Amino acid sequence: MNRQNSNVLQKVALFFLLIGLTGSAKAQIKLNKLKKSLEGESVSTEEVAQGLKEALTNGVSKGSDLVSQIDGYFKNPEIKIPFPPEVKQVETTLRQMGLGKEVDRFVLTLNRGAEDAAKEAKPIFVEAVKQMTIQDAWAILKGEKDAATQYLKSSTATLLKEKFKPIIQASLDKVNATKYYADLVNTYNKIPLVQKVSPALDEYATDKAIEGLFVMIAKEEKNIRENPLARTSELLKKVFEAQ
């Protein structure tokens, strides 16, 4: 193994070890073992890059799968989509009028729409991971604990919103969230002296649904960083093997 490949592998070894063992004495022991192991292993930089892509693909896939399940948004307080805060006075007024059940029904269907639409997010994320370069990998290596999530945000945000907006609009229509929201807003607008509000919902729902996706992907990234051995393919096992 030449010196360049050896240096690359040592950096990657350090990266993956620090993912799960940062700040512990065990990290140094593992690092020393892994360095010795890698000196005799034929692991190319391409294999290492592919291994990282596999780990990221697993993370984004699991994150997307979690939110696309029934109650993936609705029963997760971290990402549950509330009544649009920009028109909070609508919710407050309608509840005061005894329409609390109708408001709750709308919030439920709003989250159901996001759960339904989230199924379409996975292929967008997976494609972004496939496009990742060696330079991107090093940036993630040297970055913060959510570096992979931030990479996905920067590389998918525009495309994700462009593709996600019509999907979530269709999902909202399918579960009647659009209708329920329009009915609530129209009821509110009939109240004398109130400032009229728009029944448009898709922009808010799209932004919140995407925000929730990234929250869960960040959690999966953290999980992968803290438990790398539990999330490995055979390729990653080859890199991690340091017994």
Side-chain angles (χ1 to χ4, degrees):
M1 180 180 295
N2 61 37
R3 183 176 180 181
Q4 182 179 4
N5 279 346
S6 178
N7 287 339
V8 169
L9 290 173
Q10 287 177 11
K11 288 181 179 179
V12 173
L14 177 60
F15 168 58
F16 282 112
L17 281 169
L18 291 181
I19 279 175
L21 302 170
T22 300
S24 70
K26 189 177 179 182
Q28 188 58 50
I29 296 173
K30 284 283 188 179
L31 178 57
N32 291 336
K33 287 184 179 180
L34 189 52
K35 282 181 179 178
K36 291 178 181 178
S37 175
L38 287 173
E39 286 173 359
E41 289 284 350
S42 177
V43 184
S44 69
T45 55
E46 290 76 15
E47 284 179 313
V48 172
Q50 186 59 40
L52 177 56
K53 288 183 180 183
E54 288 178 13
L56 287 173
T57 298
N58 290 342
V60 299
S61 296
K62 186 173 181 181
S64 297
D65 289 344
L66 285 172
V67 299
S68 63
Q69 296 175 6
I70 294 294
D71 292 330
Y73 278 86
F74 186 67
K75 289 192 176 179
N76 185 337
E78 290 185 279
I79 63 173
K80 180 179 179 180
I81 305 176
F83 199 96
E86 294 80 2
V87 287
K88 181 67 177 177
Q89 73 277 12
V90 175
E91 177 183 9
T92 300
T93 301
L94 292 175
R95 288 191 183 280
Q96 290 173 343
M97 294 172 59
L99 297 174
K101 288 185 178 180
E102 286 76 5
V103 171
D104 292 337
R105 180 178 62 178
F106 159 69
V107 172
L108 173 62
T109 56
L110 172 60
N111 284 271
R112 289 288 184 263
E115 291 157 7
D116 183 69
K119 299 182 182 73
E120 306 300 325
K122 186 194 297 187
I124 299 174
F125 288 132
V126 170
E127 184 59 31
V129 172
K130 288 180 180 178
Q131 299 302 318
M132 188 178 69
T133 66
I134 293 293
Q135 289 75 19
D136 294 327
W138 292 139
I140 293 172
L141 166 72
K142 299 173 183 177
E144 300 297 327
K145 292 182 178 180
D146 63 344
T149 302
Q150 293 305 319
Y151 165 77
L152 289 173
K153 278 186 179 181
S154 65
S155 58
T156 66
T158 301
L159 179 62
L160 189 62
K161 187 164 185 176
E162 177 185 322
K163 290 192 174 184
F164 209 60
K165 191 171 182 178
I167 292 170
I168 199 165
Q169 181 61 64
S171 295
L172 292 174
D173 291 343
K174 184 169 74 174
V175 298
N176 288 324
T178 305
K179 177 183 181 300
Y180 294 152
Y181 185 65
D183 289 346
L184 289 172
V185 169
N186 290 332
T187 297
Y188 176 82
N189 285 341
K190 292 176 183 178
I191 300 173
L193 304 178
V194 301
Q195 182 176 354
K196 309 302 181 187
V197 297
S198 169
L201 181 64
D202 58 336
E203 188 79 16
Y204 169 74
T206 299
D207 289 343
K208 296 301 289 184
I210 292 174
E211 180 183 310
L213 275 167
F214 281 120
V215 167
M216 295 307 293
I217 288 172
K219 290 188 70 172
E220 285 308 310
E221 177 181 1
K222 181 176 183 292
N223 191 37
I224 289 171
R225 288 179 182 273
E226 293 179 348
N227 303 285
L229 296 179
R231 303 281 191 287
T232 56
S233 66
E234 288 304 312
L235 177 58
L236 285 178
K237 287 178 183 177
K238 183 178 180 181
V239 175
F240 276 102
E241 197 163 277
Q243 300 301 324

